[in-house]
Amino acid sequence: MKNLFLTIILICSVAYSFGQIDRSIVPTAAPAPEIHIPKPIVFDLDNGMKVILSQDNRIPKVSFNLVMGSDPQLEGNKAGLSDFAGNLLLSGTTNKTKDQIDEEKDFIGADLSANSSSVYLSVLTKHMDKGLTIMADVVKNANFPESEYDRIKKQLESSLYSSKTDPNSMMKNAISKVIFGNEHPYGEVMTEETLNNITREDIINFYKKQYTPAGSYLTIVGDITEDQARNIANKYFGDWEGGVPFTKNYGKGMISKGNRVIFIEKPGAVQSVIDVAFPIDMYPGDDNQIKLSVLNKVFGGTGFGARLMQNLREDKAYTYGAYSTLNINRKGSYLSTDGNFRNDVTDSAIVQFIYEIKRITESLVEDNELSLNKASMAGAFARSLESPRTVANFALNTFRNKLADNYYQNYLKNLSLVSKEDVLDMAKRYFSTDNLYIFVVGNKEVLEKLKQFDTDGEIEILDAFGNLVKEVEFEKSDISLKEVYERYLMAVTQTKTFKKANKKISKVKSMTTVSGASPQQMPVELLMTQYYAAPTNSAIKLEYNGMVFQEEIFNGKEGMTKTMSQTGIDTKKYTAEEVSNKLKTAGLFPEFALLKNLNTPTLLGIEERMGKKFYVVKYVIGDETVTTYYNTENYLKTYIDKLEVSEEGPASVATIISGYENYKGFMFPSQITQMAESMGLDIKIKSIVFNKKIDPKVFEVK
């Protein structure tokens, strides 16, 4: 399956070319240009909504961005409620179904999106009224249908599976939890448990409190007059009613007392993901924000000229990239520095991170460092002004963050005035090597090397969701491993005894399954065809637009994989050991093969997940560890976790199986979702054909 995901990347990859520049020549700094930002037109509605208009008639389009005024709220044992609600907002209203909304917006070519705190619409000016009719209906009349609630819940469950295998998600969750804690909205992380606690009623109540006109902002950008803007704002939102927006201060993040090392395990990892982070006492619009942004740019911001990149990549060759990110938010801010490093240089990389943090607090930066990075920041700001939406966002930020009226007009001027002394002053004020959070996602083999960086010499080990690791406590199983497998096979064959299940399985001489495989991140569908011929022959073919990208073949004696690469077809034949391992699970159902050797798997016990109980069976064959979950009520397989560790590193694939349907007397899942790190794949069965002769060439290994 690892190769399958790599194939998907290949299909959707795009090649880029870059021009060459002479990096040895530092651009000469020009005087800060005068910035003429058109002053937006601002007016209020009687219900408390503030409207911000930025006119631009270059193209006949107009956009509307409605942003709620409430602060985030603590969600406790329902962490993730706001994200869940945001995902559901476009799922239907009291007037229209989701399909009707989609059809109407597509008909006029509108772009409509929503999240937990905003709704955005972009549409041709001539279709403005039709688009606003849809948008206003969503804002005022969302009804969150039960069927859509169930669908989004399954999607979020898949996303949580992804977090268990994706080191970047693990890191993000850990940073949020540790820096902000459970008493801050930024520190709340959705888990399977909190997701299962969220009801449809919770979402409806959140929507009623969150979506209220008082304190909200409607930014309008595009080909529209002031009179039109005033008329449509009143027409579509003037009668909107709601409560008072929620406001609360939660603190600025927790400063560490000494350096703390936080570790999140990714079994078999050959690289460590490192992030050295610390809170920053700053809010948007702070007098020091521009100066601190320059410091961050010199220290580790994007580009090869930053110090982290020069040290960790160019000088030490520890990584392909090392960066720092300044996160300035209304309810709490922090700075993080990150990169991916080989296991054997994990400790050395952390030494260099700390060295660079200390170095920039001790001496002035070089003239060329400062001028180069300031020029880059000025260029990015100037380019952003080409978008009229930027001007509207500037106005929105000015009101929300209580900025000076000329904050953005004076940005380039203030940027040009930042000196080496300012940068050093910011470093001394905000940077320290005595209160760092040192996060590492990786293999446990690096743990001993990390103790030296923790002030107390004690490493905190967290799970994928930022919580302290707890040993899973399995409830004792009420049946044996043999019975788990037999009852599963009886369930999928719709029989009442294992003898009858055995007989029914033996009658299947061949099976061909055709499925559609859709990557969650890409609007394409791959065709997957799977072949089985008794007793152990199997093959799988993956194609797109008639082109075969991957094949895997096994005929009981030998096997091979064929994968399309940039240089042609890569063919790899099974080793004798791989053939032996494949035979241990070969057949129509792997459980049927495993019954012949019950020494291989282990029944760990019963575990509760998403409010249901499962028999948990684990086995290791070769380099692959497989953990399977069987529902204790119907004995059907629901989850599969696979971990394959090779020289290339670990490949984790988490599978959710659902929608079992009856196919000629056999129960097969109609929906399978597989997650490999941040990549998701939805597989839907199109057809299953039994006992139709399969061309023997399908199983030929050559």
Side-chain angles (χ1 to χ4, degrees), residues 42-45 47-52 65-70 117-119 139 210-219 237 240-246 396 399-400:
V42 181
F43 57 91
D44 297 321
L45 301 188
N47 58 11
M49 175 189 286
K50 186 177 292 294
V51 182
I52 304 168
N65 189 32
L66 176 61
V67 179
M68 299 303 107
S70 289
S117 60
S118 67
V119 179
V139 170
Q210 177 76 353
Y211 271 77
T212 177
S216 67
Y217 301 85
L218 177 65
T219 59
F237 300 105
W240 183 24
E241 298 177 350
V244 177
F246 173 83
L396 174 62
F399 284 105
R400 293 195 78 187

Side-chain angles (χ1 to χ4, degrees), residues 303-321:
F304 282 87
R307 289 189 173 188
L308 290 180
M309 184 72 86
Q310 284 293 312
N311 182 334
L312 290 157
R313 172 178 167 142
E314 299 299 306
D315 182 31
K316 303 296 189 306
Y318 287 165
T319 180
Y320 286 108

Side-chain angles (χ1 to χ4, degrees), residues 513-528:
T513 305
V514 178
S515 306
S518 302
Q520 293 179 354
Q521 296 83 356
M522 308 166 196
V524 298
E525 183 181 74
L526 312 178
L527 187 66
M528 182 187 300

Side-chain angles (χ1 to χ4, degrees), residues 147-371:
S147 60
E148 286 297 304
Y149 164 85
D150 292 337
R151 182 180 67 85
I152 296 297
K153 186 174 182 179
K154 287 182 179 179
Q155 285 186 2
L156 291 171
E157 184 184 357
S158 299
S159 179
L160 293 176
Y161 250 68
S162 172
S163 296
K164 293 181 178 181
T165 62
D166 180 15
N168 295 317
S169 295
M170 295 178 188
M171 182 64 77
K172 179 182 176 183
N173 291 340
I175 290 174
S176 299
K177 275 278 190 179
V178 172
I179 289 182
F180 294 105
N182 292 326
E183 298 305 312
H184 194 295
Y186 292 174
E188 293 188 308
V189 175
M190 179 190 285
T191 66
E192 288 183 347
E193 181 180 0
T194 65
L195 172 61
N196 199 49
N197 289 337
I198 299 170
T199 65
R200 177 173 171 268
E201 288 68 30
D202 292 326
I203 291 171
I204 293 172
N205 290 333
F206 170 85
Y207 161 72
K208 289 179 178 178
K209 293 177 181 178
Q210 177 76 353
Y211 271 77
T212 177
S216 67
Y217 301 85
L218 177 65
T219 59
I220 306 174
V221 181
D223 183 24
I224 183 174
T225 66
E226 180 181 351
D227 286 342
Q228 285 178 307
R230 289 181 179 275
N231 288 335
I232 63 172
N234 278 290
K235 177 180 178 181
Y236 291 102
F237 300 105
D239 63 346
W240 183 24
E241 298 177 350
V244 177
F246 173 83
T247 59
K248 184 174 180 178
N249 292 321
Y250 293 97
K252 306 169 184 177
M254 298 184 290
I255 302 294
S256 174
K257 296 179 180 179
N259 292 338
R260 288 172 56 187
V261 175
I262 297 95
F263 180 78
I264 307 96
E265 183 183 9
K266 182 170 174 56
V270 296
Q271 282 192 329
S272 296
V273 180
I274 299 173
D275 199 311
V276 181
F278 48 91
I280 295 287
D281 184 6
M282 182 175 288
Y283 295 116
D286 188 286
D287 291 342
N288 288 325
Q289 185 174 353
I290 294 176
K291 297 176 185 177
L292 186 60
S293 297
V294 173
L295 164 62
N296 175 66
K297 192 75 167 65
V298 173
F299 175 63
T302 57
F304 282 87
R307 289 189 173 188
L308 290 180
M309 184 72 86
Q310 284 293 312
N311 182 334
L312 290 157
R313 172 178 167 142
E314 299 299 306
D315 182 31
K316 303 296 189 306
Y318 287 165
T319 180
Y320 286 108
Y323 308 95
S324 66
T325 305
L326 184 59
N327 303 276
I328 304 298
N329 299 303
R330 296 173 64 238
K331 296 300 174 182
S333 306
Y334 66 96
L335 184 137
S336 66
T337 66
D338 66 275
N340 295 355
F341 303 87
R342 304 188 313 274
N343 287 347
D344 61 324
V345 298
T346 297
D347 54 337
S348 301
I350 294 173
V351 168
Q352 295 307 315
F353 273 123
I354 296 173
Y355 165 74
E356 290 296 350
I357 292 172
K358 184 177 182 181
R359 181 165 78 102
I360 206 163
T361 66
E362 294 179 334
S363 60
L364 296 171
V365 300
E366 299 292 333
D367 288 332
N368 65 327
E369 286 184 289
L370 185 63
S371 59

Side-chain angles (χ1 to χ4, degrees), residues 386-457:
E386 296 174 5
S387 169
R389 189 173 178 183
T390 297
V391 178
N393 286 336
F394 284 171
L396 174 62
N397 292 338
T398 299
F399 284 105
R400 293 195 78 187
N401 300 321
K402 298 179 174 59
L403 306 181
D405 289 343
N406 60 357
Y407 179 86
Y408 290 104
Q409 283 85 345
N410 290 339
Y411 176 85
L412 289 183
K413 176 184 176 183
N414 291 330
L415 176 63
S416 69
L417 294 174
V418 177
S419 66
K420 295 186 294 184
E421 290 75 17
D422 291 329
V423 172
L424 182 59
D425 178 53
M426 292 298 99
K428 289 181 176 181
R429 183 177 302 193
Y430 293 104
F431 282 29
S432 171
T433 57
D434 299 326
N435 54 8
L436 302 174
Y437 292 108
I438 301 169
F439 298 90
V440 179
V441 178
N443 197 312
K444 274 190 174 180
E445 70 180 44
V446 305
L447 274 175
E448 278 302 314
K449 298 179 180 180
L450 301 180
K451 289 182 179 179
Q452 61 182 302
F453 302 110
D454 190 282
T455 300
D456 299 324

Side-chain angles (χ1 to χ4, degrees), residues 625-638:
T625 301
V626 181
T627 306
T628 311
Y629 297 76
Y630 301 88
N631 191 301
T632 58
E633 295 180 1
N634 59 23
Y635 306 104
L636 292 173
K637 188 159 41 181
T638 307

